[in-house]
Protein backbone atom coordinates (compact mmCIF):
# COMPACT_ATOMS: atom_id res chain seq x y z
CA UNK A 1 0.00 0.00 0.00
CA UNK A 2 2.92 2.32 0.72
CA UNK A 3 4.38 2.10 -2.78
CA UNK A 4 6.07 5.51 -2.84
CA UNK A 5 9.56 5.59 -1.36
CA UNK A 6 11.11 8.91 -0.48
CA UNK A 7 14.58 9.57 -1.90
CA UNK A 8 15.78 10.68 1.52
CA UNK A 9 15.15 7.20 2.91
CA UNK A 10 17.08 5.48 0.11
CA UNK A 11 20.26 7.58 0.22
CA UNK A 12 22.66 6.82 3.10
CA UNK A 13 23.29 9.75 5.40
CA UNK A 14 26.80 10.58 4.21
CA UNK A 15 26.61 14.11 5.60
CA UNK A 16 26.49 12.77 9.18
CA UNK A 17 29.46 10.46 8.47
CA UNK A 18 31.43 13.37 7.01
CA UNK A 19 30.63 15.57 10.01
CA UNK A 20 31.64 12.80 12.41
CA UNK A 21 34.94 12.30 10.58
CA UNK A 22 35.64 16.05 10.70
CA UNK A 23 34.90 16.19 14.44
CA UNK A 24 37.17 13.21 15.09
CA UNK A 25 39.94 14.81 13.07
CA UNK A 26 39.68 18.07 15.02
CA UNK A 27 39.69 16.21 18.34
CA UNK A 28 42.79 14.27 17.32
CA UNK A 29 44.51 17.53 16.37
CA UNK A 30 43.67 19.06 19.75
CA UNK A 31 44.99 15.99 21.58
CA UNK A 32 48.24 16.07 19.59
CA UNK A 33 48.64 19.79 20.22
CA UNK A 34 48.15 19.39 23.99
CA UNK A 35 50.54 16.44 24.17
CA UNK A 36 53.22 18.24 22.13
CA UNK A 37 52.76 21.44 24.11
CA UNK A 38 53.49 19.77 27.44
CA UNK A 39 55.97 17.18 26.19
CA UNK A 40 58.92 19.33 27.26
CA UNK A 41 57.69 19.09 30.87
CA UNK A 42 58.05 15.32 30.78
CA UNK A 43 61.55 15.23 29.30
CA UNK A 44 64.45 15.09 31.72
CA UNK A 45 66.69 18.08 31.47
CA UNK A 46 69.86 17.44 29.49
CA UNK A 47 72.86 19.49 30.64
CA UNK A 48 74.60 21.41 27.89
CA UNK A 49 78.17 22.60 27.78
CA UNK A 50 77.00 26.21 27.91
CA UNK A 51 75.19 25.90 31.28
CA UNK A 52 77.01 27.19 34.30
CA UNK A 53 77.18 24.68 37.16
CA UNK A 54 74.90 25.64 40.04
CA UNK A 55 75.70 25.36 43.71
CA UNK A 56 73.93 22.67 45.77
CA UNK A 57 71.14 24.88 47.17
CA UNK A 58 70.29 26.37 43.79
CA UNK A 59 70.24 22.94 42.21
CA UNK A 60 67.98 21.61 44.98
CA UNK A 61 65.65 24.57 44.49
CA UNK A 62 65.54 23.96 40.75
CA UNK A 63 64.81 20.28 41.31
CA UNK A 64 62.04 21.15 43.78
CA UNK A 65 60.51 23.61 41.31
CA UNK A 66 60.77 21.06 38.50
CA UNK A 67 59.15 18.43 40.70
CA UNK A 68 56.34 20.83 41.62
CA UNK A 69 55.75 21.78 37.99
CA UNK A 70 55.67 18.13 36.95
CA UNK A 71 53.12 17.30 39.68
CA UNK A 72 50.92 20.27 38.76
CA UNK A 73 51.21 19.51 35.04
CA UNK A 74 50.53 15.83 35.69
CA UNK A 75 47.36 16.67 37.62
CA UNK A 76 46.28 19.09 34.92
CA UNK A 77 47.04 16.57 32.23
CA UNK A 78 45.02 13.91 34.04
CA UNK A 79 42.09 16.32 34.34
CA UNK A 80 42.34 17.19 30.64
CA UNK A 81 42.44 13.51 29.67
CA UNK A 82 39.42 12.83 31.91
CA UNK A 83 37.56 15.75 30.36
CA UNK A 84 38.39 14.53 26.85
CA UNK A 85 37.07 11.05 27.63
CA UNK A 86 33.88 12.53 29.12
CA UNK A 87 33.40 14.70 26.04
CA UNK A 88 33.91 11.69 23.78
CA UNK A 89 31.29 9.71 25.68
CA UNK A 90 28.90 12.67 25.47
CA UNK A 91 29.57 12.93 21.74
CA UNK A 92 28.73 9.24 21.33
CA UNK A 93 25.56 9.70 23.37
CA UNK A 94 24.50 12.71 21.31
CA UNK A 95 25.24 10.84 18.09
CA UNK A 96 23.10 7.90 19.23
CA UNK A 97 20.29 10.22 20.31
CA UNK A 98 20.46 12.06 16.98
CA UNK A 99 20.05 8.78 15.12
CA UNK A 100 17.14 7.81 17.37
CA UNK A 101 15.42 11.15 16.73
CA UNK A 102 15.93 10.72 12.97
CA UNK A 103 14.31 7.27 13.14
CA UNK A 104 11.38 8.68 15.14
CA UNK A 105 10.88 11.53 12.67
CA UNK A 106 10.99 9.07 9.77
CA UNK A 107 8.37 6.92 11.48
CA UNK A 108 6.12 9.92 12.07
CA UNK A 109 6.53 11.02 8.45
CA UNK A 110 5.51 7.57 7.21
CA UNK A 111 2.55 7.53 9.59
CA UNK A 112 1.50 10.98 8.41
CA UNK A 113 1.69 9.91 4.76
CA UNK A 114 -0.38 6.81 5.48
CA UNK A 115 -2.98 8.92 7.29
CA UNK A 116 -3.12 11.37 4.37
CA UNK A 117 -3.59 8.52 1.87
CA UNK A 118 -6.34 6.98 3.99
CA UNK A 119 -8.10 10.33 4.35
CA UNK A 120 -7.84 10.94 0.61
CA UNK A 121 -9.22 7.46 -0.11
CA UNK A 122 -12.15 7.99 2.28
CA UNK A 123 -12.88 11.40 0.78
CA UNK A 124 -12.85 9.92 -2.76
CA UNK A 125 -15.21 7.13 -1.70
CA UNK A 126 -17.59 9.57 0.00
CA UNK A 127 -17.56 11.72 -3.15
CA UNK A 128 -18.40 8.68 -5.30
CA UNK A 129 -21.22 7.67 -2.92
CA UNK A 130 -22.58 11.20 -2.97
CA UNK A 131 -22.61 11.22 -6.80
CA UNK A 132 -24.30 7.84 -6.83
CA UNK A 133 -26.91 9.05 -4.30
CA UNK A 134 -27.49 12.25 -6.30
CA UNK A 135 -27.87 10.15 -9.47
CA UNK A 136 -30.49 7.96 -7.77
CA UNK A 137 -32.41 10.97 -6.50
CA UNK A 138 -32.47 12.62 -9.91
CA UNK A 139 -33.67 9.45 -11.61
Amino acid sequence: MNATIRSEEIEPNTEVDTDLAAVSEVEAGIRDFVRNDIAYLRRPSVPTSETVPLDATAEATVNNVNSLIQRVAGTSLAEIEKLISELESLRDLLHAEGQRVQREISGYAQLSQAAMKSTRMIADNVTQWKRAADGLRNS
Side-chain angles (χ1 to χ4, degrees):
M1 183 168 182
N2 193 1
T4 59
I5 298 176
R6 295 178 23 206
S7 63
E8 301 158 7
E9 295 171 3
I10 295 173
E11 297 176 8
N13 199 348
T14 57
E15 182 177 312
V16 172
D17 294 340
T18 306
D19 291 345
L20 184 61
V23 167
S24 297
E25 185 178 331
V26 169
E27 287 176 352
I30 291 171
R31 270 192 228 101
D32 290 341
F33 175 75
V34 169
R35 287 187 183 123
N36 290 337
D37 193 37
I38 62 166
Y40 70 91
L41 294 174
R42 294 182 188 162
R43 289 187 210 127
S45 60
V46 177
T48 61
S49 60
E50 298 176 359
T51 58
V52 178
L54 301 174
D55 62 356
T57 57
E59 190 171 329
T61 304
V62 168
N63 286 338
N64 287 340
V65 169
N66 282 341
S67 173
L68 175 66
I69 289 174
Q70 286 178 348
R71 279 186 279 159
V72 170
T75 304
S76 298
L77 183 62
E79 288 294 319
I80 290 171
E81 290 292 331
K82 180 180 171 186
L83 181 62
I84 287 172
S85 71
E86 288 176 6
L87 288 173
E88 286 174 341
S89 65
L90 283 173
R91 181 198 63 205
D92 293 341
L93 174 71
L94 287 174
H95 182 67
E97 285 297 306
Q99 288 178 339
R100 183 188 63 81
V101 168
Q102 285 178 346
R103 286 191 305 269
E104 296 259 343
I105 289 173
S106 176
Y108 287 131
Q110 289 175 353
L111 182 64
S112 175
Q113 286 178 350
M116 287 175 51
K117 286 180 182 179
S118 298
T119 304
R120 200 173 297 128
M121 192 181 313
I122 291 170
D124 290 343
N125 286 339
V126 168
T127 303
Q128 289 174 0
W129 292 342
K130 186 177 178 183
R131 285 184 195 151
D134 287 344
L136 289 176
R137 281 188 213 147
N138 291 339
S139 313

mmCIF file of all heavy atoms in Angstrom, residues 19-39:
data_model
loop_
_atom_site.group_PDB
_atom_site.id
_atom_site.type_symbol
_atom_site.label_atom_id
_atom_site.label_comp_id
_atom_site.label_asym_id
_atom_site.label_seq_id
_atom_site.Cartn_x
_atom_site.Cartn_y
_atom_site.Cartn_z
ATOM 1 N N ASP A 19 30.534 14.708 8.826
ATOM 2 C CA ASP A 19 30.627 15.566 10.007
ATOM 3 C C ASP A 19 31.328 14.841 11.144
ATOM 4 O O ASP A 19 32.165 15.421 11.829
ATOM 5 C CB ASP A 19 29.241 16.022 10.459
ATOM 6 C CG ASP A 19 28.594 16.988 9.485
ATOM 7 O OD1 ASP A 19 29.307 17.523 8.613
ATOM 8 O OD2 ASP A 19 27.372 17.202 9.596
ATOM 9 N N LEU A 20 31.014 13.583 11.340
ATOM 10 C CA LEU A 20 31.637 12.799 12.407
ATOM 11 C C LEU A 20 33.129 12.644 12.161
ATOM 12 O O LEU A 20 33.932 12.759 13.086
ATOM 13 C CB LEU A 20 30.968 11.427 12.504
ATOM 14 C CG LEU A 20 31.435 10.527 13.637
ATOM 15 C CD1 LEU A 20 31.171 11.188 14.974
ATOM 16 C CD2 LEU A 20 30.720 9.194 13.560
ATOM 17 N N ALA A 21 33.513 12.430 10.909
ATOM 18 C CA ALA A 21 34.936 12.305 10.582
ATOM 19 C C ALA A 21 35.659 13.621 10.833
ATOM 20 O O ALA A 21 36.772 13.635 11.369
ATOM 21 C CB ALA A 21 35.100 11.878 9.124
ATOM 22 N N ALA A 22 35.022 14.746 10.491
ATOM 23 C CA ALA A 22 35.639 16.048 10.705
ATOM 24 C C ALA A 22 35.814 16.324 12.198
ATOM 25 O O ALA A 22 36.856 16.820 12.631
ATOM 26 C CB ALA A 22 34.798 17.144 10.052
ATOM 27 N N VAL A 23 34.814 15.983 12.986
ATOM 28 C CA VAL A 23 34.896 16.188 14.438
ATOM 29 C C VAL A 23 36.011 15.335 15.022
ATOM 30 O O VAL A 23 36.802 15.803 15.847
ATOM 31 C CB VAL A 23 33.534 15.867 15.106
ATOM 32 C CG1 VAL A 23 33.677 15.769 16.608
ATOM 33 C CG2 VAL A 23 32.503 16.913 14.746
ATOM 34 N N SER A 24 36.110 14.095 14.596
ATOM 35 C CA SER A 24 37.170 13.208 15.091
ATOM 36 C C SER A 24 38.543 13.736 14.724
ATOM 37 O O SER A 24 39.479 13.668 15.524
ATOM 38 C CB SER A 24 36.983 11.805 14.530
ATOM 39 O OG SER A 24 35.772 11.253 14.966
ATOM 40 N N GLU A 25 38.663 14.269 13.515
ATOM 41 C CA GLU A 25 39.943 14.811 13.074
ATOM 42 C C GLU A 25 40.344 16.028 13.904
ATOM 43 O O GLU A 25 41.506 16.158 14.313
ATOM 44 C CB GLU A 25 39.845 15.191 11.594
ATOM 45 C CG GLU A 25 41.142 15.655 10.989
ATOM 46 C CD GLU A 25 40.987 15.962 9.502
ATOM 47 O OE1 GLU A 25 40.140 15.352 8.841
ATOM 48 O OE2 GLU A 25 41.740 16.821 9.028
ATOM 49 N N VAL A 26 39.386 16.900 14.197
ATOM 50 C CA VAL A 26 39.677 18.074 15.021
ATOM 51 C C VAL A 26 40.079 17.651 16.434
ATOM 52 O O VAL A 26 41.028 18.172 17.011
ATOM 53 C CB VAL A 26 38.459 19.030 15.051
ATOM 54 C CG1 VAL A 26 38.627 20.102 16.104
ATOM 55 C CG2 VAL A 26 38.266 19.666 13.683
ATOM 56 N N GLU A 27 39.360 16.689 16.993
ATOM 57 C CA GLU A 27 39.685 16.213 18.338
ATOM 58 C C GLU A 27 41.088 15.615 18.383
ATOM 59 O O GLU A 27 41.846 15.850 19.328
ATOM 60 C CB GLU A 27 38.672 15.166 18.794
ATOM 61 C CG GLU A 27 37.330 15.751 19.143
ATOM 62 C CD GLU A 27 36.309 14.692 19.492
ATOM 63 O OE1 GLU A 27 36.592 13.495 19.316
ATOM 64 O OE2 GLU A 27 35.234 15.078 19.945
ATOM 65 N N ALA A 28 41.447 14.845 17.372
ATOM 66 C CA ALA A 28 42.793 14.266 17.321
ATOM 67 C C ALA A 28 43.849 15.364 17.236
ATOM 68 O O ALA A 28 44.893 15.278 17.893
ATOM 69 C CB ALA A 28 42.911 13.316 16.131
ATOM 70 N N GLY A 29 43.580 16.406 16.469
ATOM 71 C CA GLY A 29 44.507 17.528 16.374
ATOM 72 C C GLY A 29 44.683 18.234 17.703
ATOM 73 O O GLY A 29 45.800 18.605 18.084
ATOM 74 N N ILE A 30 43.593 18.411 18.431
ATOM 75 C CA ILE A 30 43.671 19.058 19.746
ATOM 76 C C ILE A 30 44.493 18.203 20.706
ATOM 77 O O ILE A 30 45.340 18.708 21.429
ATOM 78 C CB ILE A 30 42.259 19.323 20.303
ATOM 79 C CG1 ILE A 30 41.566 20.417 19.487
ATOM 80 C CG2 ILE A 30 42.316 19.730 21.770
ATOM 81 C CD1 ILE A 30 40.102 20.605 19.827
ATOM 82 N N ARG A 31 44.230 16.886 20.702
ATOM 83 C CA ARG A 31 44.993 15.992 21.584
ATOM 84 C C ARG A 31 46.488 16.063 21.269
ATOM 85 O O ARG A 31 47.320 16.152 22.173
ATOM 86 C CB ARG A 31 44.499 14.555 21.432
ATOM 87 C CG ARG A 31 43.407 14.226 22.387
ATOM 88 C CD ARG A 31 43.160 12.716 22.404
ATOM 89 N NE ARG A 31 41.723 12.536 22.291
ATOM 90 C CZ ARG A 31 41.049 12.211 21.221
ATOM 91 N NH1 ARG A 31 41.669 11.947 20.111
ATOM 92 N NH2 ARG A 31 39.753 12.119 21.231
ATOM 93 N N ASP A 32 46.836 16.007 19.973
ATOM 94 C CA ASP A 32 48.242 16.069 19.585
ATOM 95 C C ASP A 32 48.872 17.387 20.012
ATOM 96 O O ASP A 32 50.002 17.422 20.507
ATOM 97 C CB ASP A 32 48.403 15.886 18.070
ATOM 98 C CG ASP A 32 48.091 14.472 17.623
ATOM 99 O OD1 ASP A 32 48.100 13.564 18.483
ATOM 100 O OD2 ASP A 32 47.837 14.288 16.413
ATOM 101 N N PHE A 33 48.130 18.480 19.843
ATOM 102 C CA PHE A 33 48.641 19.790 20.225
ATOM 103 C C PHE A 33 48.919 19.854 21.719
ATOM 104 O O PHE A 33 49.973 20.301 22.154
ATOM 105 C CB PHE A 33 47.647 20.886 19.827
ATOM 106 C CG PHE A 33 48.064 22.258 20.290
ATOM 107 C CD1 PHE A 33 49.079 22.927 19.630
ATOM 108 C CD2 PHE A 33 47.466 22.855 21.380
ATOM 109 C CE1 PHE A 33 49.480 24.177 20.053
ATOM 110 C CE2 PHE A 33 47.860 24.102 21.803
ATOM 111 C CZ PHE A 33 48.865 24.772 21.141
ATOM 112 N N VAL A 34 47.972 19.364 22.530
ATOM 113 C CA VAL A 34 48.149 19.389 23.986
ATOM 114 C C VAL A 34 49.332 18.525 24.385
ATOM 115 O O VAL A 34 50.159 18.918 25.207
ATOM 116 C CB VAL A 34 46.854 18.935 24.697
ATOM 117 C CG1 VAL A 34 47.099 18.690 26.171
ATOM 118 C CG2 VAL A 34 45.760 19.977 24.513
ATOM 119 N N ARG A 35 49.438 17.339 23.819
ATOM 120 C CA ARG A 35 50.545 16.443 24.170
ATOM 121 C C ARG A 35 51.894 17.031 23.760
ATOM 122 O O ARG A 35 52.866 16.944 24.504
ATOM 123 C CB ARG A 35 50.339 15.079 23.517
ATOM 124 C CG ARG A 35 49.234 14.306 24.200
ATOM 125 C CD ARG A 35 49.122 12.897 23.675
ATOM 126 N NE ARG A 35 48.001 12.229 24.324
ATOM 127 C CZ ARG A 35 46.977 11.691 23.696
ATOM 128 N NH1 ARG A 35 46.935 11.702 22.381
ATOM 129 N NH2 ARG A 35 46.004 11.109 24.363
ATOM 130 N N ASN A 36 51.964 17.637 22.580
ATOM 131 C CA ASN A 36 53.219 18.237 22.131
ATOM 132 C C ASN A 36 53.559 19.484 22.938
ATOM 133 O O ASN A 36 54.729 19.786 23.169
ATOM 134 C CB ASN A 36 53.151 18.592 20.643
ATOM 135 C CG ASN A 36 53.133 17.367 19.767
ATOM 136 O OD1 ASN A 36 53.569 16.301 20.171
ATOM 137 N ND2 ASN A 36 52.608 17.499 18.560
ATOM 138 N N ASP A 37 52.533 20.205 23.365
ATOM 139 C CA ASP A 37 52.756 21.440 24.109
ATOM 140 C C ASP A 37 53.352 21.163 25.481
ATOM 141 O O ASP A 37 54.155 21.938 25.974
ATOM 142 C CB ASP A 37 51.432 22.198 24.242
ATOM 143 C CG ASP A 37 51.643 23.623 24.708
ATOM 144 O OD1 ASP A 37 52.639 24.230 24.284
ATOM 145 O OD2 ASP A 37 50.810 24.121 25.496
ATOM 146 N N ILE A 38 52.981 20.051 26.106
ATOM 147 C CA ILE A 38 53.491 19.769 27.443
ATOM 148 C C ILE A 38 54.564 18.688 27.444
ATOM 149 O O ILE A 38 55.029 18.281 28.502
ATOM 150 C CB ILE A 38 52.361 19.366 28.401
ATOM 151 C CG1 ILE A 38 51.691 18.101 27.927
ATOM 152 C CG2 ILE A 38 51.388 20.487 28.589
ATOM 153 C CD1 ILE A 38 50.818 17.481 28.966
ATOM 154 N N ALA A 39 54.971 18.241 26.270
ATOM 155 C CA ALA A 39 55.973 17.175 26.194
ATOM 156 C C ALA A 39 57.297 17.607 26.806
ATOM 157 O O ALA A 39 58.001 16.794 27.410
ATOM 158 C CB ALA A 39 56.176 16.739 24.748
#
